[in-house]
Amino acid sequence: MAVSTRPHWLVLGAGAIGGLWALRLAAAGHPVTLLGRQAAPTRRLVLEDGNHSLSHDFPCLDHRRAQLPAAERLLVATKAGATADALAPLLPALPATLPLVLLQNGMGQEAALLAARPDLVLLPAITTAGVFCRDADTRVLAGAGQTRIGALDAAQQPLADTIAREWQAAGLATSAVTDIAAQRWQKLAVNCAINPLTVRFRCRNGALLDNPEALALMEAVCAEVAAVMQAEGLAASGDALFASAQAVAAATAANTSSMLADAEAGRATEIDFLNGHVLRCAARHGIACPVNAALVTEIAARAH
């Protein structure tokens, strides 16, 4: 068997998005190893894409105990709140040359990683790909979406460019961008304006648009996030963010937000890395964000 010359990917968190990436990369000829609390040395994942499907048997390693194989890329697709704990067993041995691609909702998780390992190469990515888990091992593609990747350090942007090309070749519509911070904030704002409100009103995304109270809260969230973004040196308009949030809610009208799914299942939500991140940044600038603060308190209380 010929040895692949394509970069070897480690995938930490083979849920909906991580599983999709693992399958697409493997289908394109990349060696891919899954990291997690694996009960078996191999795991078969299946991707259903309309009338087509593909499957792959992946080698699996328990990231808490196993020695990592030589690899060129590490994709982190865990929930934002699980990032620090999931990577803690790996951090001491991670090569400084191994880039960590953070493909997650929310912001703020990178601060803890850099505090522990200032030499890490972190490449944040965001995606609008729609995928859900039919069962533990089956991923269903609901929409291909668009993905963007960039570097926190401009010196590492060429690596982001290279990875974007790899993902594009694997059938993952991807662009490398130099303003990933601004684009992450834009997505954060939309998530802040939709996800916690679907929990408050126990509804799918589109139902928010038919609820005057929800729309008023959505608009207020966007106004507060825009003020924080401006203080962070980013161009932002509350009206523009509100329009984006409404457009996303309409485009994903039938979707159950991940936060609502987590809340209904009794799992921890990502509120601390969405609206909670807004509050931490607001505190640095002395900005009051009462609507976001109330949502954080409400959603956090539901977890207890």
Side-chain angles (χ1 to χ4, degrees):
M1 177 184 294
V3 176
S4 174
T5 58
R6 299 180 187 275
H8 183 171
W9 281 85
L10 306 175
V11 175
L12 179 62
I17 290 295
L20 171 63
W21 254 250
L23 283 156
R24 289 293 195 213
L25 289 166
H30 289 269
V32 178
T33 299
L34 305 184
L35 304 179
R37 299 184 178 186
Q38 312 298 344
T42 61
R43 181 181 181 188
R44 168 166 287 196
L45 294 182
V46 178
L47 175 65
E48 296 179 357
D49 180 3
N51 295 324
H52 305 283
S53 67
L54 64 90
S55 63
H56 190 82
D57 293 320
F58 294 93
C60 299
L61 293 174
D62 186 330
H63 70 285
R64 299 165 298 171
R65 301 182 179 89
Q67 182 175 355
L68 291 183
E72 289 76 41
R73 316 271 191 261
L74 171 55
L75 177 67
V76 181
T78 60
K79 294 279 190 179
T83 304
D85 286 345
L87 281 171
L90 303 176
L91 283 183
L94 281 183
T97 55
L98 179 68
L100 276 64
V101 181
L102 306 178
L103 186 58
Q104 304 169 297
N105 280 334
M107 294 176 64
Q109 58 271 46
E110 63 273 16
L113 299 179
L114 289 173
R117 282 284 305 272
D119 60 334
L120 288 177
V121 175
L122 300 182
L123 303 175
I126 56 175
T127 187
T128 58
V131 59
F132 64 91
C133 300
R134 185 183 301 285
D135 54 45
D137 298 320
T138 305
R139 309 293 173 260
V140 180
L141 188 67
Q146 295 288 324
T147 301
R148 293 175 175 82
I149 184 172
L152 296 178
D153 182 342
Q156 296 156 359
Q157 188 63 33
L159 180 56
D161 297 342
T162 298
I163 290 174
R165 290 192 293 270
E166 292 173 8
W167 287 2
Q168 190 76 33
L172 297 159
T174 306
S175 302
V177 297
T178 56
D179 63 341
I180 191 64
Q183 297 207 28
R184 291 177 82 200
W185 266 101
Q186 293 281 341
K187 184 176 184 187
L188 182 86
V190 169
N191 286 336
C192 287
I194 293 176
N195 292 15
L197 296 184
T198 65
V199 178
R200 168 175 282 191
F201 295 103
R202 294 194 174 277
C203 67
R204 297 193 179 195
N205 295 0
L208 296 174
L209 302 176
D210 300 318
N211 182 330
E213 182 183 357
L215 281 174
L217 287 169
M218 185 184 294
E219 185 173 18
V221 167
C222 290
E224 291 180 0
V225 176
V228 175
M229 289 176 66
Q230 291 165 8
E232 292 279 302
L234 301 171
S237 156
D239 289 342
L241 293 179
F242 182 39
S244 293
Q246 291 177 87
V248 170
T252 61
N255 289 11
T256 296
S257 76
S258 59
M259 188 173 290
L260 177 57
D262 286 339
E264 291 188 333
R267 297 186 295 262
T269 72
E270 294 179 308
I271 192 70
D272 194 46
F273 294 88
L274 295 176
N275 309 69
H277 180 72
V278 173
L279 295 184
R280 288 189 292 275
C281 292
R284 292 202 304 268
H285 300 290
I287 298 173
C289 293
V291 179
N292 279 277
L295 288 171
V296 170
T297 299
E298 177 181 343
I299 303 305
R302 290 174 182 263
H304 300 291

